[in-house]
Amino acid sequence: MNDNNPAGQGPTRPLTVADVLALPVLAAGRPQVVTGTRHLDRPVRWVHITELTDPASFLKGGELVLTTGMPLPQDAAGVRRYVDELADVGAAALVIELVRRYHRPPDALVDACRLRGLPLVTLAKDVNFLEVTQVVHALLLGNQTEAMRRTQRIHEAFTALTLRGAGPEDVVRAAAEMSGRTVVLENLVHQALICEPSGSAVEEVLTDWEQRSRATGPGDHTAVCGPERWLTAPVEYQGERWGRVAMLPGRTGDGPPPAFGPEDITVLERTAMALTVARLIHPTTWERVAHRNALRDLVEQRHRSPEDARARCAALGLPVDRERFVAVLVILRAEHGAAEPETRLFQELRTAGVPALVGELAPDRLGVLLALRPSQPWRPVVERLCSTALALAAKTVVTVGREVTELSDTARSFREAARVAEATPPGQPLPPGRSFHELSDIGLRRLLYALREDTRIQEYAERQLGRLIDHDTQHGTDLLTTLRHYLDAAGNKTTAARRGGLSRETMYQRLRTIERLLDRDLESGEQRTELHTALTALDVLRAH
């Protein structure tokens, strides 16, 4: 390890005035900061030794100026001019040795440096200025070489993402990982479509996102702006500005966040370029992708907390302060010609003035989350949604879960809508006056339809009716139909005989045979219920 490495100097941070003063080669001169203590974080681009009366003509800015004090003008006006020229050119600091000409800094020099905010550092002991330049320049060149390597790695990483057709989530995630900062992609109306938090909760990042984003004025190029000092870069699509990507400063304990460096700018600019390419490659609009991801997170309860869920949905424009939410599933059970049907449904809801999230939860299954005002009935809204859905595909099925009052409970509403969909066979007639199915529609037959794949249901039907079916098969009888008529007539033998076109005596004889084969008492209401359930399950299984 090089003993001249400044303490804490890492490869990702530029060398500062404070770092240089901490070097052993300079610390040996017992440096004392006389003015400009608040500016010791200025980056040092180079070290310049001068004994000229006008050194500024040889500087470009960012230099640490070393002098013995010999060329300083005698008069106060000359000293002020000397300092003004250094400050105007952007010198990082002035270091003066108090050994040869001065034993204390001249008052005029101190006043001039304090007035211009230029750090003035005195050295009480003789220092080899040449050795200082060698050490600092070696560090600077080493940092520049490492910075070039890191920049190259950034370009290679984003090039690889673009070549493999990475989506916007992958691009934003890569930016957050490379920078170690939170990165957010938003559209022109300040909706946060993708958020990759780094060291922060989603709630902390996205709370009041729209208001905070609007306070961060738009820019035509990469820049730090706004009261929170975000680093932003515009994202274009087909030559027009589409949105922007923002890198947030983050936090470091109680102190101010670290300033954005050249690498952060490189990462964000490459992120914007990769997003532009991804926007051309991936046909689905990113608003729909954002809605889809938000809905899936709600349904699968992947948010870290209810507050995170609220902040995420609010950043997409959903009014999470609404008191009622209703989950709707739209199952497209036929070919549909519309591209992005969720876009059509979202536009219809927006026309109706109903805030909603609309996104694909599975192939041909769209999820819709309605946010309703307290006095707003949800049934007319769903009916309007059904009309648009049926225009997309004739065999579309729409199911609805019960309304909930908390956003965190929408997963339950979606589960209920999914149960209704599972219990809705193709061609299931709708209730009178309705275009959708809801939880109250699920009776015994639809419940058994939903459970038709369960082997326990299959085994139950076979155990209850198998011997009767086998008898009909072997003897060419139709006792199963007789049992059906009897059960449908709620045990009324006369009605059952009439429905089967049988005499009462024949009906009685067949019922006795059924009781013998099944070892059942058909006068028992409980046993009739069991047989009715088994017969309904058999019908469902045979239809399936």
Side-chain angles (χ1 to χ4, degrees):
M1 180 181 292
N2 186 351
D3 291 338
N4 286 319
N5 247 342
Q9 174 64 24
T12 61
R13 186 169 64 83
L15 203 65
T16 66
V17 174
D19 293 330
V20 175
L21 296 181
L23 293 172
V25 67
L26 199 55
R30 291 174 18 205
Q32 180 180 357
V33 180
V34 180
T35 67
T37 305
R38 293 187 298 109
H39 303 297
L40 296 182
D41 59 348
R42 287 180 177 176
V44 174
R45 189 184 61 82
W46 207 244
V47 175
H48 184 74
I49 304 172
T50 182
E51 299 299 339
L52 299 175
T53 57
D54 59 342
S57 59
F58 296 91
L59 305 181
K60 294 184 178 180
E63 293 88 355
L64 185 79
V65 179
L66 302 177
T67 181
T68 61
M70 298 298 291
L72 281 179
Q74 298 283 352
D75 59 308
V79 170
R80 286 195 301 271
R81 184 172 59 254
Y82 181 91
V83 171
D84 284 341
E85 290 177 357
L86 291 179
D88 290 341
V89 81
L94 174 63
V95 179
I96 181 172
E97 190 181 72
L98 302 180
V99 175
R100 293 172 175 80
R101 179 177 177 184
Y102 298 105
H103 296 287
R104 58 183 297 274
D107 293 339
L109 180 63
V110 174
D111 292 341
C113 288
R114 181 176 291 115
L115 182 64
R116 293 303 306 270
L118 179 68
L120 173 63
V121 181
T122 61
L123 299 175
K125 296 182 64 177
D126 191 15
V127 169
N128 187 328
F129 284 173
L130 182 59
E131 186 178 355
V132 173
T133 61
Q134 290 174 338
V135 171
V136 175
H137 291 173
L139 289 172
L140 290 171
L141 291 173
N143 276 0
Q144 291 172 6
T145 302
E146 179 58 27
M148 291 176 63
R149 292 195 188 101
R150 290 194 301 274
T151 300
Q152 181 63 27
R153 288 195 290 269
I154 291 170
H155 287 297
E156 291 173 353
F158 279 104
T159 299
L161 285 169
T162 301
L163 290 177
R164 69 178 175 85
E169 298 97 336
D170 297 328
V171 174
V172 175
R173 186 180 305 114
E177 291 173 352
M178 289 183 199
S179 64
R181 300 177 188 264
T182 294
V183 180
V184 180
L185 172 68
E186 68 171 11
N187 59 15
L188 288 178
V189 292
H190 304 277
Q191 293 177 346
L193 305 183
I194 301 175
C195 173
E196 281 294 333
S198 179
S200 303
V202 173
E203 175 196 4
E204 180 182 353
V205 174
L206 295 182
T207 296
D208 297 327
W209 176 264
E210 181 179 345
Q211 294 88 332
R212 293 160 57 209
S213 177
R214 290 185 183 279
T216 305
D220 296 328
H221 57 277
T222 305
V224 176
C225 52
E228 297 183 42
R229 309 301 293 163
W230 293 354
L231 179 65
T232 66
V235 178
E236 295 186 350
Y237 176 58
Q238 295 182 341
E240 294 184 359
R241 184 175 174 183
W242 173 86
R244 69 176 173 181
V245 60
M247 184 180 289
L248 277 57
R251 295 180 178 177
T252 53
D254 297 329
F260 293 109
E263 288 177 34
D264 296 315
I265 296 174
T266 300
V267 167
L268 201 66
E269 289 179 340
R270 284 308 309 263
T271 300
M273 292 173 59
L275 287 170
T276 296
V277 175
R279 187 73 175 83
L280 294 169
I281 294 174
H282 297 276
T284 303
T285 60
W286 290 351
E287 285 83 358
R288 302 281 65 79
V289 173
H291 280 215
R292 177 199 67 194
N293 293 340
L295 282 173
R296 289 180 179 180
D297 288 345
L298 284 172
V299 171
E300 299 172 19
Q301 295 181 297
R302 292 194 296 224
H303 291 287
R304 293 198 303 180
S305 67
E307 291 74 22
D308 275 9
R310 290 173 62 85
R312 181 75 188 88
C313 293
L316 288 173
L318 188 77
V320 296
D321 56 346
R322 294 286 169 93
E323 296 183 5
R324 295 160 62 240
F325 300 92
V326 176
V328 182
L329 289 182
V330 179
I331 298 95
L332 303 171
R333 286 181 169 167
E335 291 295 327
H336 56 86
E340 293 194 16
E342 57 266 43
T343 300
R344 290 276 301 276
L345 297 179
F346 180 78
Q347 290 173 343
E348 182 64 29
L349 290 170
R350 184 169 57 183
T351 301
V354 180
L357 294 180
V358 183
E360 185 182 64
L361 299 180
D364 292 332
R365 175 169 292 202
L366 306 181
V368 181
L369 178 61
L370 305 175
L372 303 167
R373 296 185 299 274
S375 60
Q376 186 176 17
W378 61 265
R379 291 179 182 274
V381 177
V382 177
E383 288 288 355
R384 183 167 183 170
L385 201 63
C386 290
S387 299
T388 304
L390 287 170
L392 299 175
K395 295 183 179 180
T396 295
V397 173
V398 178
T399 64
V400 184
R402 285 177 293 191
E403 65 178 46
V404 295
T405 58
E406 293 291 339
L407 186 69
S408 56
D409 292 333
T410 54
R412 185 180 73 228
S413 187
F414 273 109
R415 283 196 299 270
E416 292 171 351
R419 290 194 192 112
V420 177
E422 292 168 358
T424 304
Q428 174 71 34
L430 286 159
R434 257 205 281 134
S435 302
F436 57 89
H437 302 269
E438 56 183 317
L439 204 59
S440 61
D441 298 332
I442 301 179
L444 177 62
R445 183 175 297 274
R446 291 179 64 169
L447 175 62
L448 292 171
Y449 175 79
L451 300 174
R452 64 192 180 277
E453 302 292 347
D454 193 320
T455 56
R456 291 172 295 182
I457 297 296
Q458 300 170 14
E459 190 275 334
Y460 179 79
E462 180 63 23
R463 176 163 47 86
Q464 294 284 345
L465 301 172
R467 282 174 292 177
L468 190 62
I469 297 171
D470 291 342
H471 183 277
D472 282 346
T473 302
Q474 293 169 11
H475 298 88
T477 56
D478 195 12
L479 295 178
L480 190 67
T481 300
T482 299
L483 178 61
R484 184 190 306 279
H485 289 151
Y486 176 72
L487 295 175
D488 288 344
N492 189 306
K493 299 182 181 67
T494 302
T495 302
R498 185 172 63 253
R499 289 179 178 177
L502 303 174
S503 66
R504 293 188 61 182
E505 183 59 32
T506 303
M507 174 61 69
Y508 292 157
Q509 181 183 355
R510 289 190 179 188
L511 292 177
R512 285 194 295 270
T513 302
I514 292 172
E515 287 180 322
R516 177 176 56 80
L517 290 171
L518 300 182
D519 191 22
R520 288 288 185 172
D521 178 10
L522 294 181
E523 295 298 323
S524 168
E526 180 178 352
Q527 293 188 26
R528 284 205 306 269
T529 300
E530 292 173 354
L531 289 171
H532 179 69
T533 301
L535 190 58
T536 305
L538 181 66
D539 290 343
V540 167
L541 292 168
R542 284 180 169 179
H544 177 61

